[in-house]
Amino acid sequence: MRLIRNKLFVFIFLFLIAAGVIFYEFNRIPGTLTFDEVDSAMLSLTLNTQQYTPYSLLATGHTTLYYYIILFSFKLFGVGNFALRFPSALFGLLGSIVFYFIMARIYKNNIFVSVLASVIFSTSRWYFNFARFSFEATFLLFLELVSIYFFINSIKSEQNKSRNLVFSGIFAGLAFNSYPPGRIFFLVPLFFLILEFKKKIKLNFNLAIKNLLIFLIPFIILATPLSLYYLSSSGDDRVDKLFFWKNHEMSVGDKITGTIQNAGSISRMLIDKGDLSGKHNYPGKAALNPLLALMFLAGIVITIKNSNRFENRLFLIFFFAGILPSLAIYPWENPNMLRTHTAIAGIVYFISVLLNELYKFLRKNKNINIYKSGLIFIVILIALSTIYELRTYFIYQASIFPTAFETKPELTEALKHLNFDY
């Protein structure tokens, strides 16, 4: 009973933290809308007057899954700022909870690391910033995290393996129908299933094929409508215009140079010079504060060193999948904290690896006072990091929102100004 109470307390504690940073001064910070949000509202409302479509050419082109959810929010709450932004906030909150469940599954005997990693994740301004206005980045990350959670369960436990793989495939398929970086996410679990297939094919061919199909069938079913749309049309113009790897007028050398330049700007984004967009970041500020940057660098070294561990390999590939799409877009589009949003999960996991090593080191110390003092010191550092993140967002980044979010304060006013009849 005591353990259940502790788990309930932890859940409530993390829920309140995530809800607090996402919903504090919600709709006031930022207090105005961006043109992209108004375009999203119009796209969503037009879906109400047509048959189901997996893709819309409106607002420079988008898959429609997230916009049907916004439409449902409009029907539930009425057309307005809150209804427009609520889905992003909701999935930001749910994503934080799912991330904790992943950490608790990985560090099942170490609630200390699981809780601290979840606090870091929830209070990262890179994460909660995008949950506070109507972009679909938090929705995509939520879908990917749920798929990862079920996939880890399928690998680490033989019980309900098929059910876990089905759910992993379902959420990978939903991610395929979300923000463009989600199109390649399914390759992350598929890579490990193929490795497992190669190991088991000599032992049990039927079981190896079964596991692959259990994941792939629900994914293919959900990905098919959008895939057929692409095959029957000219494709995704928005993606085609951004990806210079597809530019046949550029030489191979120019593409290699551009990719190296992107790798450099994305690396600097994490620890030195960040995204310049006021919607995404306090312009130029590194995505990670100094403490988290140091912990990330140390954690990724440890993770690579121990890459024989399944979870370490999984999050290394997950992290790379979050970075990969931005490596292929024109260099002047980088650094971009929106397009690399899903990399946050890998970054915080690497930090958790370092925290786990520190925890194990302290546990080995026979002096209980040193052990307790060490844990308290770590908690204080994470608390200071959290305060730094909140201060950066709610004081400094919030001060530039009036110019970064460039349109009307109320959605209904913006739609009326554009003569949009809904």
Side-chain angles (χ1 to χ4, degrees):
M1 183 62 71
R2 183 179 179 183
L3 182 62
I4 294 175
R5 289 199 195 101
N6 287 343
K7 286 184 177 180
L8 180 61
F9 172 79
V10 167
F11 178 84
I12 294 172
F13 171 72
L14 294 173
F15 180 89
L16 291 176
I17 287 179
V21 296
I22 291 173
F23 286 103
Y24 173 73
E25 296 283 1
F26 192 66
N27 266 356
R28 198 182 76 81
I29 304 175
T32 51
L33 300 169
T34 177
F35 289 128
D36 289 335
E37 289 184 286
V38 178
D39 286 344
S40 296
M42 291 192 293
L43 191 161
S44 301
L45 290 166
T46 59
L47 295 175
N48 195 40
T49 60
Q50 58 183 271
Q51 292 183 333
Y52 168 76
T53 177
Y55 189 87
S56 172
L57 295 174
L58 295 177
T60 70
H62 287 275
T63 53
T64 56
L65 176 60
Y66 179 67
Y67 299 92
Y68 276 110
I69 295 172
I70 293 179
L71 177 61
F72 177 76
S73 182
F74 282 151
K75 291 184 176 182
L76 194 63
F77 299 111
V79 176
N81 292 22
F82 178 83
L84 177 62
R85 290 174 167 174
F86 179 72
S88 180
L90 175 63
F91 289 113
L93 176 57
L94 295 176
S96 297
I97 300 303
V98 175
F99 186 79
Y100 167 69
F101 285 138
I102 292 173
M103 293 295 99
R105 185 70 177 87
I106 294 172
Y107 302 111
K108 55 185 177 181
N109 296 319
N110 194 338
I111 196 169
F112 177 79
V113 171
S114 302
V115 170
L116 284 187
S118 301
V119 169
I120 293 169
F121 182 82
S122 299
T123 59
S124 165
R125 60 190 168 80
W126 188 1
Y127 181 73
F128 71 77
N129 171 62
F130 290 104
R132 293 176 62 90
F133 58 98
S134 188
F135 284 5
E136 61 183 310
T138 53
F139 177 57
L140 171 60
L141 185 49
F142 164 76
L143 296 174
E144 293 184 354
L145 287 174
V146 176
S147 181
I148 287 290
Y149 172 76
F150 284 115
F151 186 70
I152 290 174
N153 279 345
S154 73
I155 295 295
K156 294 179 75 72
S157 175
E158 289 301 321
Q159 290 184 332
N160 299 318
K161 186 179 184 72
S162 296
R163 186 179 68 182
N164 282 309
L165 280 175
V166 167
F167 281 115
S168 182
I170 287 172
F171 281 92
L174 292 174
F176 185 88
N177 284 276
S178 182
Y179 195 53
R183 311 277 164 77
I184 65 170
F185 166 75
F186 76 98
L187 295 174
V188 177
L190 184 60
F191 172 79
F192 286 93
L193 285 173
I194 291 173
L195 288 182
E196 187 182 40
F197 175 81
K198 289 177 68 177
K199 291 177 183 178
K200 289 186 176 181
I201 191 168
K202 293 181 180 178
L203 300 174
N204 192 331
F205 177 80
N206 290 336
L207 180 60
I209 288 290
K210 176 186 174 184
N211 289 340
L212 266 175
L213 291 178
I214 287 173
F215 172 82
L216 281 174
I217 288 174
F219 168 78
I220 291 171
I221 290 172
L222 288 168
T224 294
L226 182 60
S227 301
L228 290 177
Y229 173 87
Y230 283 148
L231 290 173
S232 63
S233 67
S234 59
D236 193 330
D237 290 338
R238 184 164 175 259
V239 172
D240 292 340
K241 289 175 182 177
L242 287 173
F243 278 63
F244 72 86
W245 286 0
K246 299 181 69 174
N247 188 337
H248 300 299
E249 296 180 3
M250 291 180 67
S251 67
V252 173
D254 288 338
K255 291 180 181 179
I256 292 173
T257 301
T259 303
I260 293 172
Q261 186 177 337
N262 282 338
S265 61
I266 293 169
S267 300
R268 289 188 65 193
M269 178 186 77
L270 300 178
I271 59 177
D272 179 23
K273 185 179 180 181
D275 194 327
L276 296 176
S277 170
K279 302 182 193 72
H280 304 168
N281 185 33
Y282 184 69
K285 195 171 186 66
L288 303 176
N289 69 53
L291 175 63
L292 294 185
L294 287 173
M295 296 179 75
F296 159 68
L297 292 173
I300 197 170
V301 169
I302 297 170
T303 304
I304 293 171
K305 184 179 178 181
N306 299 311
S307 58
N308 58 319
R309 188 181 178 200
F310 160 69
E311 293 92 341
N312 289 356
R313 294 197 307 276
L314 177 65
F315 275 93
L316 281 168
I317 294 173
F318 188 17
F319 171 73
F320 181 71
I323 297 296
L324 181 60
S326 286
L327 292 175
I329 65 175
Y330 288 98
W332 55 81
E333 294 281 343
N334 281 314
N336 192 302
M337 290 168 64
L338 173 62
R339 296 188 181 116
T340 52
H341 185 73
T342 58
I344 298 171
I347 289 169
V348 179
Y349 174 76
F350 303 144
I351 292 172
S352 79
V353 170
L354 174 65
L355 290 173
N356 190 49
E357 291 300 313
L358 291 174
Y359 179 81
K360 289 191 294 185
F361 175 78
L362 291 171
R363 279 292 298 266
K364 291 178 182 177
N365 198 301
K366 295 181 180 179
N367 189 320
I368 190 67
N369 291 326
I370 293 178
Y371 166 69
K372 289 182 177 179
S373 298
L375 295 185
I376 292 171
F377 180 70
I378 291 172
V379 170
I380 290 173
L381 285 179
I382 302 304
L384 291 174
S385 171
T386 297
I387 293 170
Y388 184 97
E389 292 290 276
L390 298 178
R391 180 173 179 267
T392 298
Y393 180 84
F394 287 104
I395 295 178
Y396 293 102
Q397 191 170 343
S399 68
I400 59 144
F401 279 155
T403 54
F405 286 73
E406 59 281 270
T407 188
K408 302 285 184 179
E410 292 296 330
L411 178 59
T412 51
E413 292 179 26
L415 295 176
K416 188 180 297 183
H417 179 73
L418 295 170
N419 296 317
F420 181 80
D421 185 14
Y422 57 92

